Structures are given as structure tokens and as C-alpha cells.
Amino acid sequence: MRKVMTRPRRRPPTGRPPVGRPPTRTDSRRPTPTRQPPPRTTPAPPPAGIPAAIPAQPPPHPTELFTERLVLVLSGQRPMHWVARHIANTAFDDLVRLAELRPLGTDGGHRPTIHRIGHYQPHPETYEVFARIATGPRLRALAFRLHCGTDRRWRCTAVETERTP
């Protein structure tokens, strides 16, 4: 079954009120009451025992999201299909090959941690991302390319890690 969700179409306005509603008053002899907005007040500071509200954080940058996703897949913590919809065709083949080698696999029980993420933007809809990943005492490199498609979704189009000896 294909589920389609749409909004109801607006009907063109007619001279009559909608069915089920009484007609509106059009008597011009009576003045209409004017509503005044409530007076503005500044919010009171929170009491001493209650912490202040935490401001909303901006959404994470696509380079950060994809770095986290790729690290989890290349370390074997997540399966390949977890990121499949975010990877382009040729990059998916490269990622499958890399995931089999587990280049960011755990060394002696240490999970990989992201040390630094950098990116270069050669085009407004493209990022070339490089990241330094620590697995225990060793620091490894991860590089990938992100491209924003016509559907305004980011997809990984190339993935590389350091060559292991």
C-alpha cells in the first residue's frame, strides 16, 4: 500500500459563509470593540534554586555528522546499511571495501575518537573533509567528499583512509 499524505485543497471564496457557521454581522451602526494587546512585561529572572534555561544549539554541521557516521561504520560499531542512503554509488563500493578491512577498528579495546575535523569548500554545494581519528595511542586519517544533491540532501561521494602497511 502506497501512503500519500497531502493537505486539503483550499476552495475559492464564495459570497456565502461556510456551512455550519452563522452569518457574520455586517451592521455598521454599532462600533466594533477594539482589542488592545496585553502590556509587555520582561520575564523575571529564575529563582536562585532553579537553573536558567539552556539556549537552543544550532544543528551540527554536515561534516561533523558524516565524520561520526563513517567512524562508526569503519570501526565496526555500526553496520553498512546504517549509512547506505547517505552514500553515493561509487563511494558505497569504496566504503564496503574499507569496512571489510576495519581500518579504524579498536586497538586493545580503545574506541576511535575524533580529534579534529577540517573541511575545504571548493564549490558552494561541496565539501572536502579531512579528519584525525585516534584509536588508542595511534592517530589515523580519514578523508571524504560531501555533495549536496538536487533534493538538498548531503551525500558522501568519496571515502579514503590512510594506507595500512
Side-chain angles (χ1 to χ4, degrees):
M1 180 172 118
R2 195 174 122 208
K3 189 174 186 179
V4 178
M5 299 180 74
T6 60
R7 292 185 177 165
R9 293 183 187 166
R10 287 200 168 268
R11 295 183 179 168
T14 60
R16 300 182 310 168
V19 177
R21 292 178 75 191
T24 56
R25 185 180 181 112
T26 58
D27 190 0
S28 62
R29 292 177 290 166
R30 288 187 151 173
T32 59
T34 58
R35 293 189 87 188
Q36 294 189 359
R40 287 183 143 185
T41 59
T42 58
I50 300 174
I54 299 172
Q57 297 293 322
H61 200 268
T63 58
E64 296 171 7
L65 289 174
F66 275 85
T67 302
E68 290 175 8
R69 290 175 182 164
L70 289 174
V71 165
L72 290 173
V73 168
L74 292 173
S75 65
Q77 296 177 32
R78 292 283 186 174
M80 275 295 302
H81 64 82
W82 187 63
V83 292
R85 68 185 183 140
H86 303 289
I87 310 292
N89 296 339
T90 54
F92 187 79
D93 296 337
D94 294 339
L95 190 60
V96 167
R97 180 182 47 81
L98 288 171
E100 289 173 355
L101 301 173
R102 288 187 57 186
L104 301 178
T106 58
D107 290 340
H110 297 327
R111 286 190 161 174
T113 56
I114 300 169
H115 268 235
R116 177 76 82 167
I117 302 171
H119 66 271
Y120 168 68
Q121 193 171 8
H123 188 267
E125 296 177 346
T126 305
Y127 286 114
E128 291 181 354
V129 185
F130 51 92
R132 292 182 209 113
I133 314 296
T135 54
R138 186 160 181 204
L139 199 62
R140 299 182 181 182
L142 171 68
F144 58 96
R145 177 182 274 247
L146 293 178
H147 180 73
C148 188
T150 56
D151 58 353
R152 307 304 300 161
R153 292 185 183 196
W154 289 97
R155 286 189 177 80
C156 182
T157 57
V159 180
E160 288 185 12
T161 58
E162 65 176 329
R163 304 274 191 256
T164 55

